[in-house]
């Protein structure tokens, strides 16, 4: 493989990390007040340290803290308000208070008629 090839058979740790990333997801419901979390994958539970019951029905503000960038949060709100995807990194906090960089890709899900349904 070339040097710029990210995936190589020799570097299984990157493959494992990618599998974990793809298995780490949530779904929110923008049709409800405050866009609460309505689904949490096992990977997200493992990453965050929160149990599903801690997250379901709540917003991601639960995971924000002192070093969470308010400008980034405003950008996320603007993108989602326009039903556009968002990709970026935000400093969040695990249940035990450990700070981590959360790489997010938020995708709006729309119905066949184009109405907003969920965010993944």
């Amino acid at each position: 493989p070339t040097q710029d090839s990210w995936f190589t058979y020799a570097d299984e740790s990157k493959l494992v990390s990618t599998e974990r990333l793809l298995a780490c997801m949530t779904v929110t419901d923008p049709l409800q007040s405050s866009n609460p979390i309505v689904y949490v994958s096992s990977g997200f539970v493992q990453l965050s340290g929160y149990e599903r019951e801690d997250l379901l029905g709540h917003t991601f503000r639960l995971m924000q803290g002192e070093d969470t960038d308010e400008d980034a949060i405003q950008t996320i709100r603007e993108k989602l308000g326009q039903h556009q995807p968002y990709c970026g990194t935000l400093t969040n906090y695990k249940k035990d208070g450990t700070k981590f960089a959360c790489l997010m890709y938020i995708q709006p899900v729309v119905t066949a008629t184009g109405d907003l349904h969920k965010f993944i």
Side-chain angles (χ1 to χ4, degrees):
T2 63
Q3 188 172 10
D4 63 355
S5 175
W6 197 83
F7 291 100
T8 65
Y9 288 109
D11 192 352
E12 289 184 33
S13 67
K14 287 181 183 173
L15 291 172
V16 170
S17 295
T18 301
E19 287 174 358
R20 287 183 183 153
L21 174 65
L22 296 175
C24 186
M25 66 175 276
T26 60
V27 177
T28 65
D29 186 351
L31 303 179
Q32 294 185 46
S33 175
S34 76
N35 192 26
I37 300 166
V38 295
Y39 172 81
V40 180
S41 72
S42 296
F44 193 85
V45 168
Q46 185 176 16
L47 169 77
S48 69
Y50 286 94
E51 296 298 325
R52 278 185 181 85
E53 297 75 27
D54 296 330
L55 297 167
L56 293 173
H58 296 278
T59 69
F60 287 103
R61 287 187 287 274
L62 179 71
M63 298 181 70
Q64 296 170 3
E66 181 179 335
D67 291 332
T68 303
D69 184 352
E70 289 296 324
D71 291 336
I73 292 170
Q74 184 59 37
T75 299
I76 293 168
R77 285 187 185 125
E78 289 169 4
K79 289 284 192 181
L80 300 186
Q82 299 167 3
H83 305 175
Q84 296 180 348
Y86 171 81
C87 185
T89 304
L90 187 68
T91 299
N92 275 337
Y93 293 81
K94 297 181 181 189
K95 186 172 184 176
D96 69 4
T98 304
K99 181 169 50 172
F100 73 104
C102 182
L103 173 62
M104 297 183 293
Y105 179 71
I106 304 170
Q107 177 67 43
V109 177
V110 295
T111 65
T113 59
D115 296 321
L116 182 63
H117 181 62
K118 299 281 190 273
F119 287 114
I120 296 178

